[in-house]
Amino acid sequence: MSARLPLLVLALAQLVIALDYNIVYVALPGIGAGLGFSEHGLQWVVSAYVVTTGGFLLLGGRAADLLGRRRTFVAAALIYAGSSLVGGFAQTPGALVAARAAQGIGGSLLFPATLSLINTIYAEGPDRNRALAVWGAAGAGGLCFGSLLGGVLVEAFGWPSVFFVNVPVAAAIAWAGRVLFPADAPRTGVRSFDMTGALTGTAGITLLVFLLVHAPESGWTSPTALMSAVLSPTLLALFALVETRARDPLVPTRLFGHRGLVGAMAVTAVYSATFSTLPYFLTLYFQTVRGYSAFATGLAFLVPAVVVAAGTQLGERAVAVVGVRRMLVGGMALGAAGATALGLALTEHGSYPLLLPGIVLLGLGQGAAWTGMWITAAAGVAPDDQGVASGLASTSLQVGGAVGLAALVALAGAAGPHPADNTALAGIRVAVFAIAAGIACGVPLTLVVRRATPGP
């Protein structure tokens, strides 16, 4: 069987995950009006997905290793389809938030299963690098096309359509995965499941992500924030203790001695805190400062989508020529230069073409770095650990993004808290320049990546 068909399914799965992350943004006003959400409660349509995805990724990664990658992939896609169907038919705020949380659990299973399937179906080297580039391009397209597709669907069919659109796609990839992916090999011997580690690790990470999402809105001294701030590190410390003593731990401690994986986790956290938070501020700029409609904002993200996808392909080719380290350094440097140019071009009355030089540089760097960091995370990891390694790296992605966005929103608010005047633009520009600085600070982390992985 051609390796292209499985890769098409894996890329489509990544497209669904990325698309669903932000497709609901443009539907939020309709959801709020249609279901009677309070102004504060509406944020949980987004946050419920983020919190459960970030909290369950480690569990999802280990499930792929222990229960089988194909089996986990199919189950995750079906969870996605079912929860999306429930979300589209939701009649109350609680039902919709619960459906979004279930979608997040589906994503936490689907993402590491998809990544570990790539890392086991395709041999380490050019074949895997090419597959990761295609997978990365699909993810980049989903993140950027989500706003456009959401705008089209909401205007034509109403807010439930942003959930219903997932149902046939997720069901189709579940069927295709069952047919196309290699059957899960039977396990030899008895493998125990680290239930204590699963509970403490999942609860600790979930509370950490909850804290980072919830506290900026409710206040860092609110009772829920303080309780989360106490419980999260306590549970994570208990998780670390359990993992050192468990016979078959959720996260084998030997993985933390793998410098390539640890370096990739650090790069991934910085990447998510910088590159991945930029669309939030660009959306504010387009809609708040420039007055774009939801549909026009979606159109404005078409160029970034294409450029990031091109960057993933260029990154894959560059690895073969110059190695992972030089490619990552180049991608980070391009990203920092692009973010700086973009910050300078953000003006009250500036035209969209003035943004393009920064967008192009930023997008090429973002796509190249995305491909490089996943190549690094998988390099040299044993097949039986690919799922949990993917879960570790993707957890870093989620937590890094939550930390970065919380910090940048606070920074932007301090510089420009009032959308009614030009201080909104000032806050957005400060955030974009901070993103440029953060990307530049990520360059030294690639030295760790280079020492731990082969390449020129």
Side-chain angles (χ1 to χ4, degrees):
M1 182 186 298
S2 170
R4 293 182 178 179
L5 287 177
L7 181 56
L8 177 63
V9 177
L10 292 166
L12 188 59
Q14 176 62 5
L15 178 68
V16 169
I17 295 169
L19 196 70
D20 211 52
Y21 184 80
N22 67 347
I23 194 174
V24 299
Y25 278 107
V26 295
L28 288 178
I31 291 172
L35 297 185
F37 273 91
S38 67
E39 183 177 351
H40 175 72
L42 189 60
Q43 68 165 325
W44 284 103
V45 176
V46 175
S47 298
Y49 183 87
V50 174
V51 169
T52 54
T53 301
F56 283 78
L57 276 167
L58 278 182
L59 186 60
R62 202 53 174 164
D65 290 333
L66 294 178
L67 304 179
R69 298 175 185 88
R70 185 178 74 171
R71 190 176 293 113
T72 302
F73 180 94
V74 171
L78 291 176
I79 291 172
Y80 235 108
S83 57
S84 297
L85 186 65
V86 171
F89 282 118
Q91 298 295 312
T92 64
L96 184 58
V97 170
R100 286 290 284 169
Q103 279 186 320
I105 293 173
S108 70
L109 294 169
L110 191 59
F111 189 96
T114 300
L115 193 53
S116 61
L117 279 164
I118 290 176
N119 294 332
T120 51
I121 291 175
Y122 302 94
E124 186 172 339
D127 288 345
R128 182 186 294 175
N129 296 350
R130 191 173 303 114
L132 286 169
V134 172
W135 171 81
L143 285 173
C144 293
F145 283 115
S147 297
L148 176 60
L149 179 60
V152 171
L153 289 173
V154 169
E155 289 191 10
F157 306 107
W159 69 262
S161 61
V162 302
F163 297 98
F164 289 141
V165 71
N166 290 324
V167 178
V169 179
I173 64 174
W175 173 83
R178 180 71 179 81
V179 171
L180 295 175
F181 296 156
D184 297 318
R187 289 283 175 182
T188 58
V190 179
R191 296 287 298 272
S192 63
F193 187 76
D194 179 17
M195 182 58 70
T196 304
L199 291 175
T200 54
T202 299
I205 296 171
T206 301
L207 283 171
L208 175 60
V209 179
F210 172 83
L211 172 66
L212 296 170
V213 169
H214 180 64
E217 179 72 24
S218 66
W220 291 92
T221 58
S222 67
T224 52
L226 290 174
M227 185 178 297
S228 299
V230 171
L231 288 177
S232 175
T234 302
L235 288 168
L236 290 175
L238 181 59
F239 168 69
L241 179 64
V242 167
E243 295 305 278
T244 61
R245 300 183 178 185
R247 186 181 70 179
D248 200 4
L250 182 70
V251 180
T253 54
R254 64 179 177 274
L255 289 178
F256 293 103
H258 192 294
R259 294 186 64 186
L261 175 59
V262 173
M265 289 170 62
V267 172
T268 300
V270 172
Y271 177 100
S272 187
T274 53
F275 285 111
S276 297
T277 57
L278 189 63
Y280 174 86
F281 295 100
L282 277 181
T283 300
L284 284 181
Y285 173 73
F286 290 139
Q287 295 188 340
T288 302
V289 178
R290 299 304 314 280
Y292 288 11
S293 66
F295 181 70
T297 299
L299 286 176
F301 278 103
L302 282 177
V303 174
V306 172
V307 176
V308 172
T312 63
Q313 305 305 305
L314 291 174
E316 178 257 321
R317 290 170 173 80
V319 169
V321 177
V322 301
V324 173
R325 180 206 176 189
R326 292 189 181 96
M327 191 275 288
L328 280 173
V329 168
M332 290 289 197
L334 277 177
T340 301
L342 186 62
L344 293 171
L346 295 175
T347 60
E348 186 179 2
H349 302 294
S351 64
Y352 183 78
L354 291 177
L355 307 180
L356 291 180
I359 285 174
V360 169
L361 290 174
L362 189 70
L364 290 174
Q366 180 175 354
W370 176 266
T371 299
M373 68 191 191
W374 295 114
I375 290 172
T376 303
V381 176
D384 285 349
D385 289 330
Q386 283 289 348
V388 72
S390 300
L392 284 168
S394 49
T395 298
S396 298
L397 189 77
Q398 290 288 329
V399 174
V403 172
L405 186 59
L408 289 167
V409 167
L411 183 64
H418 306 298
D421 55 38
N422 288 341
T423 56
L425 175 60
I428 293 169
R429 293 188 72 189
V430 166
V432 173
F433 285 131
I435 288 170
I439 296 171
C441 290
V443 172
L445 293 176
T446 60
L447 298 175
V448 177
V449 170
R450 173 62 183 94
R451 295 189 188 105
T453 57

